[in-house]
Amino acid sequence: MTTSSPWPTIHQERRALVDDLEPLTDTQWSTPSLCERWTVRDVFAHMTATEKMTPPKFVGKLVGSGFRINTMFEKDIAHEEEGTPAEALDEFRAHMADSTHPPGPIDAMLGEMIVHGEDIRRPLGIAHEYPMDAVVRVADFYKNSNLLIGSKSRVAGLTLRATDTDWTNGSGPEVSGPMLALVLAMTGRSASLDELSGEGLDQLKSALSK
C-alpha cells in the first residue's frame, strides 16, 4: 500500500465506522472521546465535515473564521450536529465514497480515519482491526510531520519499535508496543500508553503531557 492510493482503504474504513456507530444510543453519542473537549458525536461531525472538504472550501472557511483553525473546526461541528444522530449517519454515508480532501497530503486523510476512528471506538469499547499496512503507512507519515498535531516533535529523541510488525523509527531510548498504540501516542493520545513499554516511556509520557 506504500505506493498505492490510500482511498480504497479510507472508503472501506468509513463504511466500517458507520456499521459500528449505527446501533449507538443517544447517551453513547455523548460519550467523551479521546479528543480533548470533544464527544463521540463531535469527532464524527468533524470527520463528516472533513469528508466533504475541498481546498477552496477550506480556504474560504479558514478566512471566515479569522484564520483560527480551531474556530473553523467548531463551526463545522456545530453545522454537522444540527440534525439527529441518524441524520448525521446519513450525511456521512452520502459522502463516504468521495475522494475530496483539505489541502495537504492524502495520507493525512488515512491518518484521520484511523486515529479519529479510535478516538470514537475506544471510549465506547468497540474493537476494530485496521489493515496493518495502512497503520504502518500512517506511522510513516506522522513520524515526519508536525502538521497541526506535532507528531515529529513529540517522538524526537526516541526509538519507536512495533511489536506486531517489522517497523522501527528514530534513535534514543526505546518505546515498544503494538503499531496502532504507537500511532495513537505519536498523535497525542495518552490512552494507548498502558500498551507501551520501554526505557523511553517516561519521556514519551512527558511529551504527551505538554
Side-chain angles (χ1 to χ4, degrees), residues 10-107:
I10 293 169
H11 296 153
Q12 171 187 316
E13 290 302 320
R14 286 173 177 171
R15 289 190 293 272
L17 183 62
V18 167
D19 289 344
D20 283 344
L21 299 187
E22 279 183 327
L24 294 191
T25 64
D26 288 345
T27 299
Q28 286 175 307
W29 278 107
S30 299
T31 301
S33 75
L34 298 188
C35 278
E36 188 177 359
R37 299 186 301 276
W38 285 5
T39 65
V40 163
R41 188 168 183 193
D42 292 338
V43 176
F44 187 69
H46 169 71
M47 294 175 76
T48 304
T50 304
E51 182 183 58
K52 300 189 288 186
M53 194 67 75
T54 65
K57 282 183 182 178
F58 181 90
V59 172
K61 286 173 178 280
L62 189 59
V63 171
S65 299
F67 294 95
R68 297 185 296 273
I69 195 164
N70 287 331
T71 299
M72 183 186 81
F73 289 160
E74 296 298 338
K75 285 182 177 180
D76 282 343
I77 287 170
H79 173 72
E80 296 297 340
E81 291 182 346
E82 288 177 353
T84 65
E87 289 170 334
L89 284 167
D90 286 343
E91 183 69 10
F92 187 89
R93 194 181 290 110
H95 294 276
M96 67 184 176
D98 292 359
S99 298
T100 55
H101 62 94
I106 297 175
D107 283 355

Side-chain angles (χ1 to χ4, degrees), residues 19 30 32 41 45 67 71 74 84 88 90 92 102 105 109 113 118-119 121-122 137 146 158 161 166 170 179 193 204:
D19 289 344
S30 299
R41 188 168 183 193
F67 294 95
T71 299
E74 296 298 338
T84 65
D90 286 343
F92 187 89
M109 292 293 289
M113 199 62 241
E118 287 301 284
D119 287 337
R121 287 184 171 107
R122 288 196 173 213
R137 180 168 180 158
N146 278 322
L158 292 171
R161 186 180 306 277
D166 183 17
M179 188 78 257
L193 288 174
L204 180 59

Side-chain angles (χ1 to χ4, degrees), residues 136-179:
V136 169
R137 180 168 180 158
V138 166
D140 285 336
F141 169 69
Y142 283 131
K143 73 182 184 182
N144 296 317
S145 175
N146 278 322
L147 182 68
L148 294 181
I149 54 177
S151 300
K152 181 180 178 180
S153 296
R154 188 172 291 114
V155 300
L158 292 171
T159 296
L160 304 182
R161 186 180 306 277
T163 55
D164 51 356
T165 191
D166 183 17
W167 186 90
T168 60
N169 176 69
S171 60
E174 184 173 295
V175 177
S176 62
M179 188 78 257

